[in-house]
């Protein structure tokens, strides 16, 4: 089966006038169809950059990115637009950026359905689910940050996307609204088979998703499945130690690598 997302050696470099900043270095990541993934990691690790790439809003500086089997760098701008309109729902980190400020809440959701026949019932249902039913006619630009965030989630789900990408979608919400948003996202995955990738710092969000992927310093550093945490062996055998081992083996220290029957042990050189 074709994976929903396949990243092979993705590198993303931001060039500004004075410097080049490597935001992602050699990201390998496969998200299977129907999976729900939480992207974790410290601020500046590259999570939003990875979201922008998966949303087709950025082209990778190097490496190969395939969404539902299509290589993003090879799509024409028109084909990429079509894919974004029909197959992908995105909630960007800054909620206002997802919305048309002068259009009403209902118009924003309806606009996201432009690739198919508009479904007014679904518009009402989505607004209801995110607790904005009473604000259908309110202009997006006049809403609070939390309201915009909830509206952005309704917009992202309006076209029943095959791939839903949400960057910290509950960061401005109280517990009850956050739960409603996560329930709605979970339901899209369960009923519609939507593949979900959510950047989050919120443990109640990541616990509701099937798998966690931790980005550290522009790389996939760790993964969690079924409540267990694993480090990921990167290209050329590179391993990022989890932060709780940094005291035992600080960066720059030397270690012996010893083969064991079922793996490898690292032993501090002076021990
Ligand atoms: P995260 O979402 O994990 O906090 P980002 O993907 O936003 O991380 O950022 C990764 C790195 O790239 C950071 O060092 C950030 O400052 C830098 N960065 C992000 N966007 C840009 C940009 N448009 N231009 C230059 N640097 C950027
Ligand atoms: Mg971010």
């Amino acid at each position: 089966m074709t994976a929903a997302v396949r990243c092979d050696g993705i590198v993303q470099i931001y060039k500004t006038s004075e410097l080049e900043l490597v935001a992602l270095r050699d990201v390998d990541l496969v998200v299977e169809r129907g999976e729900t993934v939480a992207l974790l990691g410290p601020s500046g690790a590259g999570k939003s950059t990875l979201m922008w790439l998966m949303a087709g809003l950025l082209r990778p500086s190097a490496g190969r990115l395939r969404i539902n089997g299509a290589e993003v760098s090879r799509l024409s701008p028109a084909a990429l637009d079509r894919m974004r309109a029909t197959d992908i729902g995105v909630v960007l980190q800054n909620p206002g950026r997802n919305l048309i400020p002068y259009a009403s809440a209902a118009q924003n959701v309806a606009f996201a359905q432009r690739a198919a026949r508009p479904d007014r019932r679904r518009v009402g249902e989505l607004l209801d689910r995110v607790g904005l039913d009473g604000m259908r006619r309110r202009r997006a630009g006049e809403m609070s940050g939390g309201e915009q965030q909830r509206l952005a989630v309704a917009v992202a789900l309006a076209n029943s996307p095959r791939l839903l990408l949400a960057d910290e979608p509950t960061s401005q919400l109280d517990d009850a609204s956050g739960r409603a948003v996560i329930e709605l996202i979970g339901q899209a995955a369960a009923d519609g088979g939507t593949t979900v990738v959510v950047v989050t710092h919120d443990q109640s969000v990541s616990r509701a998703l099937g798998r966690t992927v931790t980005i550290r310093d522009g790389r996939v550093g760790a993964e969690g499945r079924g409540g267990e945490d694993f480090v990921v062996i990167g290209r050329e055998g590179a391993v990022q130690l989890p932060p709780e081992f940094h005291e035992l083996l600080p960066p720059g220290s030397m270690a012996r690598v010893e083969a064991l029957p079922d793996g490898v042990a690292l032993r501090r050189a002076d021990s």
Side-chain angles (χ1 to χ4, degrees):
M1 203 167 72
T2 323
V5 178
R6 182 179 287 275
C7 302
D8 285 306
I10 296 285
V11 175
Q12 185 61 41
I13 301 172
Y14 291 112
K15 292 195 171 89
T16 60
S17 48
E18 287 116 65
L19 68 149
E20 291 191 353
L21 193 142
V22 184
L24 296 175
R25 47 191 102 217
D26 268 343
V27 170
D28 295 320
L29 177 66
V30 177
V31 180
E32 301 293 352
R33 276 194 209 169
E35 262 196 298
T36 59
V37 177
L39 271 190
L40 314 176
S43 171
K47 305 179 298 295
S48 293
T49 301
L50 191 52
M51 287 299 232
W52 276 66
L53 286 164
M54 293 192 283
L57 295 164
L58 266 183
R59 281 167 197 260
S61 310
R64 211 152 64 144
L65 171 64
R66 271 172 290 181
I67 305 291
N68 295 318
E71 192 174 337
V72 174
S73 301
R74 295 201 174 167
L75 293 177
S76 67
L80 188 59
D81 272 353
R82 207 172 323 123
M83 182 172 93
R84 292 187 40 224
T86 56
D87 289 342
I88 303 180
V90 191
V91 180
L92 298 176
Q93 189 166 5
N94 175 351
R97 290 193 72 165
N98 300 284
L99 305 171
I100 307 164
Y102 50 81
S104 71
Q107 285 168 336
N108 267 280
V109 181
F111 181 70
Q113 298 176 329
R114 64 195 177 284
R117 211 148 47 90
D119 178 348
R120 293 179 96 189
R121 230 187 62 196
R122 185 162 171 79
V123 172
E125 197 183 286
L126 284 168
L127 287 174
D128 194 27
R129 290 292 302 271
V130 297
L132 293 176
D133 199 42
M135 293 197 183
R136 283 172 184 233
R137 287 162 195 238
R138 180 77 57 89
R139 287 180 191 217
E142 291 163 0
M143 295 179 137
S144 73
E147 287 160 359
Q148 289 185 345
Q149 199 160 42
R150 286 183 277 153
L151 178 55
V153 172
V155 165
L157 286 169
N159 60 350
S160 304
R162 289 162 79 189
L163 175 62
L164 175 70
L165 305 165
D167 200 342
E168 308 200 18
T170 62
S171 61
Q172 302 191 27
L173 303 184
D174 58 47
D175 286 353
S177 313
R179 267 198 306 278
V181 160
I182 287 312
E183 226 168 76
L184 184 59
I185 290 176
Q187 199 184 2
D191 303 349
T194 296
T195 308
V196 174
V197 182
V198 183
V199 174
T200 187
H201 288 112
D202 183 346
Q203 290 212 343
S204 66
V205 176
S206 53
R207 270 200 300 269
L209 303 174
R211 175 180 161 204
T212 63
V213 172
T214 303
I215 309 290
R216 259 190 239 119
D217 200 17
R219 289 191 184 89
V220 175
E223 286 216 24
R225 290 174 199 246
E228 254 198 292
D229 290 323
F230 301 93
V231 298
V232 177
I233 315 300
R235 296 196 168 216
E236 289 146 22
V239 178
Q240 286 196 32
L241 289 184
E244 60 268 31
F245 291 98
H246 285 183
E247 215 169 301
L248 272 173
L249 283 172
S253 59
M254 298 213 286
R256 282 193 194 86
V257 185
E258 291 171 11
L260 300 176
D262 56 350
V264 159
L266 291 181
R267 218 177 278 283
R268 222 171 37 210
D270 54 13
S271 62

